[in-house]
Amino acid sequence: MPSEGRCWETLQALRSSDKGRLCYDRDWLLRGEDVLQECMSLPKLSSYSGWVVDHVLPHIQKNEPPSETSGSSVSTSALDQPSSVPRSPLRNPAFSPVSSATSNGTKDKQESPHTEPMVLQSPRGMKVEGCIRMYELVHRMKGAEGLRQWQEEQEKKVRALSEMASEQLKRFDERKELKHHKEFQDLREVMEKSSREALGQQEKLKAEHRHRAKILNLKLREAEQQRLKQEEQERLRKEEGQARLRSLYALQEEVLHLSQQLDSTDQHRGLLQVDLSAFRTRGNQLCGLVSGIIRATSENGFPAAEDQAAAEGALQEMRDLLSDVHQEISRACEEKRRRDEEEARIKRQGSQMQQRPEAHKESPVPNQGPGGKPNEDLQVKVQDSTMQWYQQLQEASSRCVLAFEGLSNSKDSQAKKIKMDLQKAATIPVSQISTIAGSKLKEIFDKIHSLLSGKPVQSGGRSVSVTLNPQGLDFVQYKLAEKFVKQGEEEVASHHEAAFPIAVVASGIWELHPRVGDLILAHLHKKCPYSVPFYPAFKEGMALEDYQRMLGYQVKDSKVEQQDNFLKRMSGMIRLYAAIIQLRWPYGNRQETHPHGLNHGWRWLAQILNMEPLSDVTATLLFDFLEVCGNALMKQYQVQFWKMILLIKEDYFPRIEAITSSGQMGSFIRLKQFLEVSSSIGEIAVVDGEARLWR
């Protein structure tokens, strides 16, 4: 309101006036300040005057009621003259300066008896002071009452606000619930609409599905007709392929027959002194070509018309080749006839001269290549001395088989039982070697040595001895050698470190029983001809499966094993052979030399480097051999060994790489990295299995 603003301005003006700046202290008289001493002098009262007023004067007024005259005079004198009130140890707190400010009527308090006397105001002053005190008390009571009323109003407002908030919350909940109902209704309507649309879409899809099913049925009928047509075509193709295959077999048979006729002309070489080696070489190539065509067609299915045409071309060339050979033989016969006539004429002229029978024999000529120049290429065949050694070992193995043929083919149950017990006694200890080392090897060695020495040994809970049958020793020696090689083929191929414990036992048995060592070599050469080294050649009339067996492959049900498995077995046997030639039985006689030592390993390495490498095989065998016994060869031959390593890196690697396809580079790269690392550090590392053999 406008009046409120003017009121505050008035109060502010009064506060800023001279009187407004005066400080008023209602207790200035109580503290005894003589402010108005010049104007008036008031009587001074003791601090007990309040107690006298409250307790003494009321009693006096009751007992002695004064007259108006005396009372007025007394009051006048009391107002005009100050009187001294005696000190008292008690005081009424109602008129004390401290207790007069309170309105709750607290209990009397004791004060010190040595309080100072205080000025007693006049009745008028006391009345004014009492009015002031009463005003303050009333003001405080009004303030307390106003505060109480304000608190009650605030509580009412809080309750009202709380009730209003509760009602608003209820309205909010009702609006929220209404919103949820509306949303649920909308959602249900949307779902019903979607359901209707889905049903319509489903019906549409069903119609489309029925339409597509009709189309698919038509396509299936067409596909079935196409399949039947293709099956008919495939049947016709197979019949044509079988006819071509039979034709190829007939062509191969004729080619082989012509090749035999070509080989039969070799008997004219000594008589006519004509060289038919080129014709025979070409004939062998044509036979190999036809065999390759048949092999390829047997792997790929049925031969094509191009294969049949190529085979017919090879047959025609073979016929022409045989015709040329016959012409060459005819010319040679004519030439021989002329020479015979000339010789007869010379004999008639020089009857004194006699001719030795050896003159008609053909003198040996050195091995020459085309053009009469020495052949600088590597060998394909093994040296004659090595081949003779190989043949001797195979013959010794065959004689051993014949020696126990009676025990092997016996129908007697007792003989069969003895054979089975001897076989278990010979093979089970070898199977137990595996990767064991230390004292267990000596137990196995002693058991095998006792069995070969004719002593009884325990096998399967029974006592077994080779003396139970006259052929028992031959049988045990053969089976023992066969088992050693089989362990290399299987156990060493899977666990390379097993080569060393098996080899050290085999070396010790070899040293005490040399025949077992020869049989081990015979079995090893038969299963792995590359350990000779020996590359078997394909002979005319030989079945392909027999030739693959000669190369070391396993053929079962006309199926040749995979190349990876073949290389794994060859690797195991070469590793066993390399371990045998460098290890000796530690408990044997050290005065004697190794029965098949490192000199044989050096011979094998030199001979295989003098022969043309084989794809994927030579690199694998060289790596396995050098990794196992390279360290021993390095210590034995030192500088010569490193010269051979240099020869392999510089001269032999290019030959291996030239015949190695991209899918067979693994073994070549492994060998190359091994030799490069060894050359860089100047040492062939010892294989882990050898280092921990006797730990």
Side-chain angles (χ1 to χ4, degrees):
M1 297 175 63
S3 60
E4 292 180 356
R6 289 194 296 273
C7 181
W8 285 108
E9 292 176 357
T10 303
L11 291 175
Q12 185 64 29
L14 290 174
R15 188 181 294 112
S16 301
S17 65
D18 295 337
K19 292 183 178 181
R21 288 196 296 271
L22 291 177
C23 295
Y24 170 72
D25 187 3
R26 68 169 64 95
D27 296 328
W28 64 278
L29 289 177
L30 299 179
R31 291 195 297 269
E33 297 180 358
D34 299 331
V35 179
L36 302 177
Q37 187 175 4
E38 295 179 357
C39 299
M40 57 179 299
S41 59
L42 297 176
K44 295 183 179 179
L45 297 178
S46 172
S47 58
Y48 296 100
S49 59
W51 183 85
V52 173
V53 172
D54 292 337
H55 295 83
V56 177
L57 291 181
H59 292 289
I60 294 173
Q61 291 176 2
K62 289 179 181 181
N63 296 329
E64 297 178 2
S67 62
E68 296 179 0
T69 307
S70 61
S72 61
S73 62
V74 172
S75 62
T76 305
S77 63
L79 291 171
D80 296 335
Q81 299 294 331
S83 62
S84 299
V85 181
R87 295 182 179 180
S88 176
L90 297 175
R91 182 186 173 205
N92 185 9
F95 280 85
S96 66
V98 178
S99 63
S100 63
T102 61
S103 62
N104 53 0
T106 58
K107 294 181 180 180
D108 297 337
K109 297 181 181 179
Q110 295 181 357
E111 293 184 355
S112 174
H114 303 286
T115 58
E116 294 294 330
M118 58 186 298
V119 179
L120 182 63
Q121 297 180 0
S122 63
R124 184 180 178 183
M126 293 180 64
K127 182 178 179 180
V128 172
E129 182 69 21
C131 290
I132 292 173
R133 299 293 179 178
M134 288 299 294
Y135 175 77
E136 289 178 350
L137 178 60
V138 171
H139 183 71
R140 282 195 295 271
M141 291 176 65
K142 287 182 179 180
E145 182 65 20
L147 178 62
R148 184 183 60 77
Q149 293 177 358
W150 180 84
Q151 288 178 348
E152 290 177 355
E153 290 176 358
Q154 293 300 321
E155 289 176 357
K156 290 180 180 179
K157 290 181 180 179
V158 168
R159 285 194 296 272
L161 289 174
S162 177
E163 291 175 358
M164 184 176 66
S166 177
E167 292 296 327
Q168 289 180 355
L169 181 59
K170 290 180 180 179
R171 302 293 82 77
F172 176 78
D173 291 336
E174 290 173 357
R175 286 194 297 271
K176 187 176 180 180
E177 185 176 0
L178 178 60
K179 183 179 178 181
H180 287 170
H181 286 312
K182 288 182 178 180
E183 290 177 352
F184 177 76
Q185 185 66 24
D186 295 339
L187 180 60
R188 186 167 61 183
E189 291 176 358
V190 170
M191 291 178 64
E192 290 176 356
K193 183 178 179 181
S194 300
S195 178
R196 289 192 299 270
E197 292 178 355
L199 289 175
Q201 187 69 20
Q202 186 176 5
E203 292 297 329
K204 184 178 179 180
L205 290 175
K206 286 182 179 179
E208 292 180 358
H209 176 70
R210 287 191 294 270
H211 180 66
R212 290 179 181 177
K214 292 179 181 179
I215 296 175
L216 287 176
N217 288 331
L218 293 175
K219 290 184 177 180
L220 285 174
R221 284 195 292 270
E222 292 177 359
E224 182 66 19
Q225 293 175 359
Q226 185 69 20
R227 186 184 64 81
L228 294 175
K229 184 178 179 181
Q230 289 179 355
E231 287 180 353
E232 182 66 20
Q233 292 177 354
E234 182 68 17
R235 185 182 62 80
L236 295 176
R237 189 184 66 82
K238 286 183 178 180
E239 291 178 356
E240 292 176 359
Q242 290 175 355
R244 291 196 190 100
L245 189 60
R246 288 192 294 270
S247 177
L248 279 179
Y249 288 150
L251 291 175
Q252 185 184 24
E253 184 178 3
E254 187 174 356
V255 167
L256 293 175
H257 179 69
L258 294 176
S259 178
Q260 290 179 355
Q261 293 181 4
L262 191 62
D263 291 337
S264 65
T265 59
D266 190 52
Q267 60 184 352
H268 300 285
R269 183 181 63 180
L271 298 175
L272 303 178
Q273 296 183 356
V274 60
D275 187 11
L276 303 176
S277 60
F279 296 99
R280 287 197 306 276
T281 302
R282 182 56 184 166
N284 293 334
Q285 292 176 353
L286 293 174
C287 291
L289 176 62
V290 175
S291 300
I293 292 173
I294 294 178
R295 187 184 308 112
T297 55
S298 62
E299 294 175 354
N300 300 330
F302 294 103
E306 294 80 5
D307 299 330
Q308 187 175 5
E312 290 175 354
L315 176 60
Q316 185 61 39
E317 187 176 355
M318 178 65 80
R319 291 170 179 170
D320 297 339
L321 191 65
L322 186 61
S323 178
D324 294 341
V325 168
H326 289 159
Q327 292 178 4
E328 189 69 22
I329 292 174
S330 299
R331 287 195 296 270
C333 290
E334 185 66 23
E335 184 66 25
K336 184 177 183 302
R337 186 180 61 78
R338 288 197 299 269
R339 286 200 306 270
D340 291 340
E341 292 178 355
E342 184 66 22
E343 288 177 0
R345 186 178 62 80
I346 293 174
K347 284 181 181 181
R348 286 195 299 269
Q349 291 178 356
S351 57
Q352 299 296 330
M353 299 178 63
Q354 295 181 357
Q355 187 176 8
R356 296 181 180 180
E358 291 82 0
H360 297 281
K361 294 183 180 180
E362 181 181 2
S363 60
V365 295
N367 184 19
Q368 295 180 348
K373 295 182 180 180
N375 191 355
E376 297 179 356
D377 293 336
L378 297 180
Q379 301 174 2
V380 178
K381 296 183 179 180
V382 71
Q383 294 180 359
D384 293 339
S385 59
T386 304
M387 199 62 193
Q388 291 176 1
W389 174 57
Y390 167 77
Q391 293 293 346
Q392 290 174 359
L393 291 174
Q394 297 303 318
E395 291 174 0
S397 177
S398 300
R399 288 195 299 270
C400 183
V401 173
L402 291 175
F404 64 83
E405 185 178 8
L407 177 62
S408 180
N409 298 328
S410 177
K411 303 297 183 181
D412 183 33
S413 60
Q414 185 66 23
K416 289 182 178 180
K417 184 178 179 180
I418 292 174
K419 182 187 72 172
M420 186 61 64
D421 291 341
L422 290 175
Q423 184 171 350
K424 290 181 179 180
T427 57
I428 290 178
V430 180
S431 301
Q432 295 173 347
I433 296 175
S434 186
T435 56
I436 63 174
S439 59
K440 292 184 179 180
L441 282 181
K442 192 173 187 307
E443 295 177 4
I444 293 175
F445 176 85
D446 292 340
K447 188 173 183 179
I448 297 174
H449 175 57
S450 299
L451 180 65
L452 293 173
S453 301
K455 299 178 182 179
V457 296
Q458 293 295 322
S459 177
R462 293 195 297 269
S463 179
V464 182
S465 174
V466 295
T467 57
L468 296 176
N469 190 284
Q471 301 175 358
L473 181 60
D474 295 322
F475 179 77
V476 167
Q477 289 176 343
Y478 186 87
K479 290 298 179 181
L480 183 63
E482 184 182 40
K483 184 61 179 178
F484 272 118
V485 177
K486 192 174 184 62
Q487 283 293 96
E489 184 182 12
E490 297 176 354
E491 182 67 24
V492 179
S494 301
H495 306 91
H496 291 171
E497 65 275 8
F500 299 98
I502 297 173
V504 75
V505 175
S507 177
I509 296 298
W510 194 334
E511 186 174 346
L512 297 177
H513 305 275
R515 191 186 183 193
V516 176
D518 293 340
L519 292 173
I520 289 175
L521 283 178
H523 283 289
L524 183 66
H525 291 170
K526 186 175 182 180
K527 288 193 172 185
C528 179
Y530 314 102
S531 62
V532 178
F534 167 50
Y535 300 160
F538 183 79
K539 298 180 180 180
E540 297 299 331
M542 179 186 296
L544 180 60
E545 295 180 1
D546 295 338
Y547 179 62
Q548 289 170 336
R549 289 190 181 94
M550 287 181 62
L551 292 176
Y553 288 91
Q554 290 181 347
V555 182
K556 295 181 180 179
D557 299 330
S558 301
K559 294 182 180 180
V560 185
E561 67 176 330
Q562 297 293 329
Q563 184 71 7
D564 292 341
N565 189 46
F566 166 74
L567 291 176
K568 184 179 179 181
R569 291 190 304 103
M570 298 300 109
S571 173
M573 287 184 281
I574 284 296
R575 282 180 174 271
L576 178 62
Y577 179 66
I580 288 176
I581 63 177
Q582 64 170 321
L583 295 176
R584 294 196 64 182
W585 182 246
Y587 306 104
N589 187 3
R590 288 291 179 177
Q591 301 298 326
E592 298 181 1
T593 59
H594 194 294
H596 196 80
L598 286 173
N599 57 325
H600 290 272
W602 183 263
R603 177 196 60 80
W604 181 88
L605 187 59
Q607 287 194 358
I608 202 168
L609 293 179
N610 284 329
M611 300 175 68
E612 285 290 348
L614 295 179
S615 174
D616 209 16
V617 175
T618 303
T620 300
L621 299 184
L622 278 176
F623 170 75
D624 293 322
F625 185 83
L626 291 175
E627 187 181 38
V628 175
C629 69
N631 182 269
L633 291 173
M634 177 193 68
K635 293 178 180 179
Q636 179 74 17
Y637 296 99
Q638 298 180 356
V639 178
Q640 297 299 324
F641 174 78
W642 291 113
K643 287 182 179 179
M644 186 169 288
I645 297 299
L646 184 63
L647 173 67
I648 295 174
K649 292 175 62 178
E650 293 182 354
D651 296 339
Y652 209 62
F653 270 170
R655 294 180 180 270
I656 299 177
E657 189 173 8
I659 64 170
T660 303
S661 63
S662 59
Q664 299 174 339
M665 293 297 291
S667 57
F668 171 74
I669 294 174
R670 187 165 58 248
L671 174 63
K672 187 176 182 179
Q673 291 177 348
F674 172 76
L675 293 183
E676 287 178 353
V677 171
S678 301
S679 300
S680 63
I681 64 176
E683 184 181 7
I684 304 291
V686 179
V687 186
D688 182 59
E690 180 184 2
R692 64 183 182 183
L693 181 59
W694 299 106
R695 289 179 185 175

